[in-house]
Amino acid sequence: MVGIVERLVPDELWVLFQRVVPEAPSRPRGGGRRRHGDREVLAAIVFVATSGCTWQQLPSASFGPSGATAHRRFSEWSKARVWAKLHRLVLDELGARGELDWSRCAIDSVNMRALKGDLTGPNPVDRGKYGSKIHLITERSGLPISVGIFGANLHDSQALIPLVKGIPPIRSRRGRRRRKPGKLHADKGYDDAHLRRWLRERGITHRIARKGVESSHRLGRHRWTVERTMAWLAGCRRLHRRYERKADHFLAFTSIACTLICYRRLAK
């Protein structure tokens, strides 16, 4: 019978995680409490991300580490950018298997309510309530390859360039690493002549809907995949509303959700 730790952190994901997790600090003089294993702590963090429970509600009897221990390790790993590295490692495995289709990519965003913290702002379409935006670029089948966090008052067009630049060089089945999509689809929120020129200069064909020119009918023929991925993010219940004061922690949970989405494809 597979335990909860092995179910939340399968063997293949654990092998990849071991390649990016920092080494445990040594104790030259010994003593102190026994350090909980990284796999148990990782399973606890995944449980908090997917279930949406607070750190205090974490059932330590099922995992071993307490909520305080899991949160402390989560903060340490977030500072070391472990989650972004793990996401990129899973993308590398997918790219090496030829599972990534770079011919058409899409960008979109989703608003999240936020109680407080940095990278938040009044949402102009939600009665000015504070929130954050998750911006996402997906490849043709909907796998997330770049993610970013911005305030809810930041216009969508201002997030396109940072996200395209944030696409990491990902392995391919043959040839050099790749980080540039063939085409980029976006809705009318990204309608800007400067963005079209910037993409064209980098050899990326833009497919950005134009305000007052193109009808909203059939504009989602190629962008529905990124909208579906946004719905997949809702499977990580910790993202239903932003509770983290630090933007790095909220981005970490977003990266965990993206990693789990990509890993499900890898495990097939």
Side-chain angles (χ1 to χ4, degrees):
M1 181 176 179
V2 179
I4 188 172
V5 173
E6 290 74 17
R7 179 170 57 84
L8 293 175
V9 184
D11 292 339
E12 189 174 1
L13 181 61
W14 170 237
V15 170
L16 295 176
F17 185 77
Q18 287 180 297
R19 294 169 56 181
V20 298
V21 66
E23 292 185 5
S26 60
R27 294 174 177 172
R29 298 185 179 182
R33 294 183 178 180
R34 181 184 66 85
R35 179 182 172 89
H36 289 284
D38 287 340
R39 187 169 185 174
E40 290 74 18
V41 176
L42 176 60
I45 293 172
V46 172
F47 180 81
V48 170
T50 54
S51 68
C53 72
T54 64
W55 296 105
Q56 291 77 14
Q57 294 172 331
L58 179 69
S60 57
S62 301
F63 298 97
S66 64
T69 299
H71 180 261
R72 182 169 59 252
R73 202 80 63 87
F74 170 78
S75 300
E76 294 173 0
W77 290 344
S78 298
K79 187 176 181 180
R81 302 190 72 253
V82 168
W83 313 115
K85 295 176 182 177
L86 181 61
H87 182 207
R88 176 176 173 178
L89 200 57
V90 176
L91 287 174
D92 273 344
E93 293 296 322
L94 288 169
R97 298 183 185 184
E99 295 284 345
L100 299 180
D101 189 343
W102 292 87
S103 61
R104 294 181 188 271
C105 292
I107 183 173
D108 207 348
S109 67
V110 61
N111 288 304
M112 300 290 174
R113 288 278 185 88
L115 300 179
K116 58 186 67 177
D118 47 354
L119 290 185
T120 61
N123 191 340
V125 298
D126 192 11
R127 296 174 292 178
K129 293 186 177 181
Y130 270 67
S132 295
K133 275 185 179 180
I134 298 177
H135 286 262
L136 202 64
I137 292 181
T138 62
E139 49 84 63
R140 185 167 190 165
S141 65
L143 295 177
I145 58 177
S146 181
V147 62
I149 302 297
F150 302 89
N153 58 334
L154 185 80
H155 196 271
D156 286 351
S157 60
Q158 299 183 44
L160 186 144
I161 293 178
L163 249 68
V164 174
K165 288 183 176 180
I167 299 176
I170 301 172
R171 289 172 58 189
S172 301
R173 174 176 288 183
R174 59 180 65 88
R176 301 171 57 184
R177 290 178 175 267
R178 183 164 183 176
R179 62 183 307 175
K180 187 174 66 174
K183 297 179 182 179
L184 184 64
H185 293 260
D187 59 23
K188 297 179 182 180
Y190 301 89
D191 182 18
D192 189 285
H194 166 67
L195 295 179
R196 289 188 173 88
R197 183 168 56 253
W198 186 86
L199 292 171
R200 194 182 307 114
E201 290 173 353
R202 282 151 185 81
I204 302 174
T205 303
H206 56 78
R207 291 291 184 266
I208 304 176
R210 294 168 291 179
K211 298 176 184 177
V213 177
E214 296 176 75
S215 170
S216 297
H217 184 59
R218 298 182 67 187
L219 285 180
R221 283 179 299 170
H222 301 293
R223 289 193 298 104
W224 67 271
T225 53
V226 67
E227 294 172 356
R228 182 188 60 181
T229 304
M230 292 295 183
W232 286 345
L233 288 181
C236 183
R237 296 184 180 179
R238 190 74 180 193
L239 298 180
H240 285 190
R241 177 175 292 192
R242 175 180 168 180
Y243 296 98
E244 285 69 36
R245 292 174 180 263
K246 296 182 179 179
D248 290 345
H249 288 182
F250 187 60
L251 180 60
F253 278 121
T254 307
S255 296
I256 291 174
C258 292
T259 300
L260 294 177
I261 291 172
C262 294
Y263 177 76
R264 285 197 292 267
R265 176 71 62 83
L266 187 65
K268 286 184 179 180

